[in-house]
Amino acid sequence: MYLDERSLNEYLSVVEEGISDEARHRTQSDAKGPPEELGVVAPETGSSERERVVRETASQRFIRLVSALDADSARWKYRDIEGLRPLFDGLKIMDFLHGRFEVEVPPMIKLMSQPDQLGDMLDLLEAFRPMASLMGQDIDGMPGQEETTAMRGFAKAMKSDIVIVGDQEDDGPKITGKLTKEYVRDTIEGEVFILGKIARKWEEGESHSLMALPGASLMSREQRRQAARQPKTDDAETLTGPALTLDILAIYR
């Protein structure tokens, strides 16, 4: 469903002290004719050799990486977990984390990360508005021209990366991570396996917005810490601790 091939190659090159994506298979065979019979000349004998180059797919390299991490989990700080809650306090930044989670893309982020689809929806609303009264439809609840223009401007300013949020149990610690669009292979929702590296721990009482807030990168480190300590809100686009931010490598079923 998702595989960050660039990070995969970087991790694998560290674990294997280099990386190769191909193997050479050489086969050799001897050509032997049937035994000679009376009055029949045996065909010439000889040998042949064939070489085949096999290149690994990204999925095969991923399996190789997971096998290497699992084989020396202490060295690579690899955690294959079934329950996040009892292990949360012991997890550290840079640990590899692998587990099963129930995930979704929050609705507003889904909308803001697909500006083309949002634009198409607003185009449809604007095209339908003058036709609604002719068709006997009530347009009182529909956004007007001013509202749709404002929505276009808001979407342009608040455009967001694809961000997922997941958990293993109700009221348990959550995980979140940003996805690179070019590596998304399928719609990500429901129960999945995730492999990622812990980039940030959010303790109880800390929170932050999952939206790409304009100007947030210009805030000082202390300002960002103060913002994280603000009282939590209950909207789906705010992550509230305890939680983990992951650099997500792969999502699969």
Side-chain angles (χ1 to χ4, degrees), residues 94-108:
M94 304 299 286
D95 283 358
F96 279 104
L97 189 69
H98 178 262
R100 187 197 302 257
F101 297 89
E102 185 78 20
V103 302
E104 68 171 349
V105 179
M108 185 60 71

Side-chain angles (χ1 to χ4, degrees), residues 146-246:
E146 185 176 348
E147 286 81 2
T148 54
T149 300
M151 289 175 68
R152 290 183 191 276
F154 178 77
K156 184 177 180 180
M158 290 291 293
K159 59 185 177 181
S160 177
D161 300 305
I162 301 175
V163 178
I164 64 157
V165 177
D167 57 32
Q168 293 182 318
E169 57 181 331
D170 293 340
D171 300 323
K174 297 184 180 298
I175 59 98
T176 186
K178 182 173 64 175
L179 307 183
T180 302
K181 290 183 180 180
E182 65 179 293
Y183 298 130
V184 176
R185 301 180 176 186
D186 200 354
T187 301
I188 298 173
E189 192 169 21
E191 194 172 83
V192 298
F193 287 97
I194 295 178
L195 174 63
K197 182 177 282 191
I198 299 175
R200 175 71 190 264
K201 286 184 71 172
W202 302 90
E203 303 295 344
E204 186 80 35
E206 291 186 317
S207 63
H208 83 109
S209 174
L210 299 174
M211 300 290 292
L213 297 176
S217 61
L218 301 179
M219 296 170 63
S220 68
R221 186 177 181 182
E222 182 57 33
Q223 287 173 323
R224 292 195 297 270
R225 285 179 172 176
Q226 289 179 359
R229 291 192 290 266
Q230 294 300 312
K232 71 176 184 178
T233 60
D234 294 326
D235 62 272
E237 285 68 46
T238 299
L239 180 74
T240 302
L244 299 171
T245 297
L246 304 179

Side-chain angles (χ1 to χ4, degrees), residues 6-214:
R6 179 177 178 180
S7 296
L8 170 63
N9 290 337
E10 291 176 354
Y11 291 151
L12 194 58
S13 67
V14 172
V15 170
E16 295 188 341
E17 299 181 354
I19 186 171
S20 62
D21 66 349
E22 66 180 43
R24 296 180 181 272
H25 296 270
R26 182 173 295 176
T27 58
Q28 185 172 350
S29 62
D30 293 325
K32 296 181 178 179
E36 293 186 17
E37 298 179 5
L38 185 62
V40 178
V41 178
E44 294 183 2
T45 61
S47 63
S48 64
E49 186 175 283
R50 184 176 64 176
E51 184 177 87
R52 184 164 60 100
V53 177
V54 179
R55 288 187 171 84
E56 286 186 327
T57 66
S59 296
Q60 288 173 311
R61 292 199 298 275
F62 171 70
I63 293 172
R64 207 166 81 226
L65 173 65
V66 174
S67 298
L69 293 175
D70 188 55
D72 198 352
S73 57
R75 178 185 179 187
W76 303 114
K77 300 179 181 179
Y78 172 73
R79 306 286 195 100
D80 192 350
I81 66 167
E82 293 186 2
L84 184 56
R85 188 192 295 272
L87 298 176
F88 184 83
D89 291 339
L91 296 174
K92 295 180 173 57
I93 306 300
M94 304 299 286
D95 283 358
F96 279 104
L97 189 69
H98 178 262
R100 187 197 302 257
F101 297 89
E102 185 78 20
V103 302
E104 68 171 349
V105 179
M108 185 60 71
I109 291 176
K110 187 181 295 184
L111 191 65
M112 295 302 167
S113 64
Q114 303 176 60
D116 293 340
Q117 292 191 31
L118 176 59
D120 291 343
M121 183 187 72
L122 295 176
D123 290 342
L124 181 62
L125 282 173
E126 291 175 348
F128 180 74
R129 192 185 301 114
M131 297 294 297
S133 59
L134 297 176
M135 299 171 62
Q137 300 294 320
D138 183 10
I139 64 173
D140 290 341
M142 293 180 60
Q145 181 67 45
E146 185 176 348
E147 286 81 2
T148 54
T149 300
M151 289 175 68
R152 290 183 191 276
F154 178 77
K156 184 177 180 180
M158 290 291 293
K159 59 185 177 181
S160 177
D161 300 305
I162 301 175
V163 178
I164 64 157
V165 177
D167 57 32
Q168 293 182 318
E169 57 181 331
D170 293 340
D171 300 323
K174 297 184 180 298
I175 59 98
T176 186
K178 182 173 64 175
L179 307 183
T180 302
K181 290 183 180 180
E182 65 179 293
Y183 298 130
V184 176
R185 301 180 176 186
D186 200 354
T187 301
I188 298 173
E189 192 169 21
E191 194 172 83
V192 298
F193 287 97
I194 295 178
L195 174 63
K197 182 177 282 191
I198 299 175
R200 175 71 190 264
K201 286 184 71 172
W202 302 90
E203 303 295 344
E204 186 80 35
E206 291 186 317
S207 63
H208 83 109
S209 174
L210 299 174
M211 300 290 292
L213 297 176

